[in-house]
Amino acid sequence: GDSVTQMEGPVTLSEEAFLTINCTYTATGYPSLFWYVQYPGEGLQLLLKATKADDKGSNKGFEATYRKETTSFHLEKGSVQVSDSAVYFCALRRNTGNQFYFGTGTSLTVIP
Amino acid sequence: DAGITQSPRHKVTETGTPVTLRCHQTENHRYMYWYRQDPGHGLRLIHYSYGVKDTDKGEVSDGYSVSRSKTEDFLLTLESATSSQTSVYFCAISERLAGGQNTGELFFGEGSRLTVL
């Protein structure tokens, strides 16, 4: 079945460090891919998305590229801030359905 | 912010008692979802709805039922709560595109923390 695997956390970085959170997927066909972020005490919110191979999603300095050949959608940011501390979820949705499949989440803490 | 309200936000109950969680939206979105969030498992889909009275099971539906009698309300019921259902429950909504599929963006409520003793 469809699934998403993302790197285990927690991740702790110093402010202005480079961030990579790995995400790979298994799916039938060509799914749409998403990164959601959850700040403490809140629900998830969409960070960025990509709907086809080689698309790059970007938002708030974060970006991820849909790589069909490696079935990956790694999240990157060049310089993290304390305010980026949150849990990040990779997710997919088949283009023939309405269900979303989430990874287990990666907790990021950025220290000053 | 999307108008999604979950109630109650916190509940402590005992094993064997029935529990109903309510999700109310003011966005008139067609799709509504119930997820549970547990450490090490991320978010797992319990049930979802694609219209009034139209619902389907997700990957962890055992022990849960849902109802949607109005567009704006989606109820999740635990008929007889068990300790394994202690979790944080999130409702989410999504809009429908002209072709029938959702837009790909989920809007989440703030969550309902349920503890079953």
Side-chain angles (χ1 to χ4, degrees), chain A residues 27-65:
Chain A
T28 305
Y30 304 99
S32 295
L33 301 173
F34 308 84
W35 277 101
Y36 280 80
V37 58
Q38 183 180 31
Y39 298 103
E42 299 182 8
L44 283 70
Q45 55 186 274
L46 180 65
L47 180 60
L48 53 85
K49 68 179 182 181
T51 57
K52 60 183 187 294
D54 299 326
D55 268 2
K56 178 184 284 188
S58 61
N59 186 25
K60 300 180 180 179
F62 291 89
E63 58 182 37
T65 301

Side-chain angles (χ1 to χ4, degrees), chain B residues 17-23 34 46-47 60-68 74-81 85 89 114:
Chain B
T17 60
V19 176
T20 295
L21 304 180
R22 179 182 183 236
C23 178
W34 276 109
I46 305 171
H47 283 279
V60 290
S61 59
D62 287 350
Y64 301 94
S65 62
V66 290
S67 66
R68 191 168 179 200
F74 192 33
L75 302 180
L76 177 70
T77 297
L78 292 66
E79 299 290 348
S80 178
Q85 294 176 311
Y89 292 86
L114 175 66

Side-chain angles (χ1 to χ4, degrees), chain B residues 13-64:
Chain B
T13 191
E14 294 189 349
T15 298
T17 60
V19 176
T20 295
L21 304 180
R22 179 182 183 236
C23 178
H24 178 77
Q25 62 146 328
T26 58
E27 306 296 321
N28 201 36
H29 282 4
R30 176 152 181 171
Y31 295 98
M32 299 186 76
Y33 305 79
W34 276 109
Y35 288 89
R36 59 178 290 174
Q37 184 178 25
D38 303 289
H41 292 280
L43 266 74
R44 292 180 291 174
L45 182 64
I46 305 171
H47 283 279
Y48 70 104
S49 169
Y50 44 95
V52 173
K53 296 194 169 124
D54 291 324
T55 65
D56 207 348
K57 295 179 180 179
E59 58 186 309
V60 290
S61 59
D62 287 350
Y64 301 94

Side-chain angles (χ1 to χ4, degrees), chain A residues 6-7 9-11 21 35-45 47 75 83-90 103-109, chain B residues 37 42-43:
Chain A
Q6 60 182 104
M7 65 183 281
V11 175
I21 301 177
W35 277 101
Y36 280 80
V37 58
Q38 183 180 31
Y39 298 103
E42 299 182 8
L44 283 70
Q45 55 186 274
L47 180 60
L75 182 68
S83 57
D84 294 327
S85 298
V87 181
Y88 293 82
F89 291 89
C90 186
T104 53
T106 301
S107 175
L108 169 67
T109 300
Chain B
Q37 184 178 25
L43 266 74

